[in-house]
Amino acid sequence: MSRDAAPRPWQIWEDLVGTRRAARTTIVLTSDLNASIGEERPFLGIFGRWSILAVGIPLLAVTDEAALAAILAHEDAHLRNRDTNGSLNLAELEKCFELIFDYAPPGRTVSGSLFYWMLSPLSKTLGREEIRLSRHAEIEADRHAARTGDSYSTARALLLAGAAGVLFEDRAYRPLRRELLGSMAPPEPPLARTLKAALGLSDPDTLREYVQKAWDAPDDTTSDHPPWPERLAALGYSSPPTIEPVEHPALSTLLRSETVAERVRHFNDEWTSTVADHLDR
């Protein structure tokens, strides 16, 4: 996502991280209700680290500039706190394992099978610890975002995303799964459905309903994100605050319409093509 296509998001990011770090960032659009930050070390790290900031089109559809700024401050905190290092190192460790298993495949070689058997209990322990550390990192990133702006703006951004997640499940993903059963042709793509569903959150009553649903949702112990009550408690809220609905979505105010249209068309066509291939088999 170039500066010409999205000057305001780039300016928000540069204001948060500074000109030097912004210059070493690539911003990409995704089809997810999410934002994330990662790092790469090109050429074995000779030229330092490069940040990859991913921002989902559905997320931009349910937030405005203030909420997006709070979310980007959250992602900046992950970089400042070196939260991305663990994922980067883990990815490099996994590549080492893949290299070993290429030369000694489990089930076909004694050494590969033995190594795989030895790693199995370790991987479960590491998985649990990774979830614990990730949840702690999310709480710290929320607190940093609140200090960068204010607690209400951060809480509002989190609850907008949480409410959208439940709304999309009800109005987009669950109906899509039903339509895919026995379908002879690809149905309407998920991104198109979520963008339609996102309009519902502009209604205060609908927003309030889905904020409460997100708040009441049980904790998924396999998720690397804490439940919403835990995240809001870290910001000083013991119950979901009343938040203002989005009047002017970031998707329509902060990005060029041509960029949005092209990316939406790309993701819709990509999904439709993939589903069509599966249905033809």
Side-chain angles (χ1 to χ4, degrees), residues 185-190 265-281:
E188 185 179 33
R265 183 169 56 251
H266 166 79
F267 288 123
N268 285 340
D269 290 348
E270 185 178 57
W271 184 89
T272 300
S273 176
T274 300
V275 172
D277 288 343
H278 282 290
L279 293 176
D280 289 340
R281 293 175 185 173

Side-chain angles (χ1 to χ4, degrees), residues 171-182:
R171 301 188 180 183
Y173 301 135
R174 190 178 297 123
L176 175 59
R177 288 195 294 270
R178 286 198 301 264
E179 291 177 32
L180 281 170
L181 295 175

Side-chain angles (χ1 to χ4, degrees), residues 115-153:
F115 189 52
Y116 184 83
W117 175 78
M118 292 171 61
L119 283 175
S120 182
L122 176 63
S123 65
K124 294 178 182 178
T125 301
L126 289 176
R128 289 193 296 268
E129 180 64 9
E130 186 176 4
I131 288 175
R132 187 188 71 80
L133 292 174
S134 178
R135 288 186 170 212
H136 175 73
E138 291 300 321
I139 295 293
E140 291 304 310
D142 291 341
R143 287 172 171 159
H144 172 84
R147 291 192 297 269
T148 301
D150 59 80
S151 293
Y152 171 77
S153 296

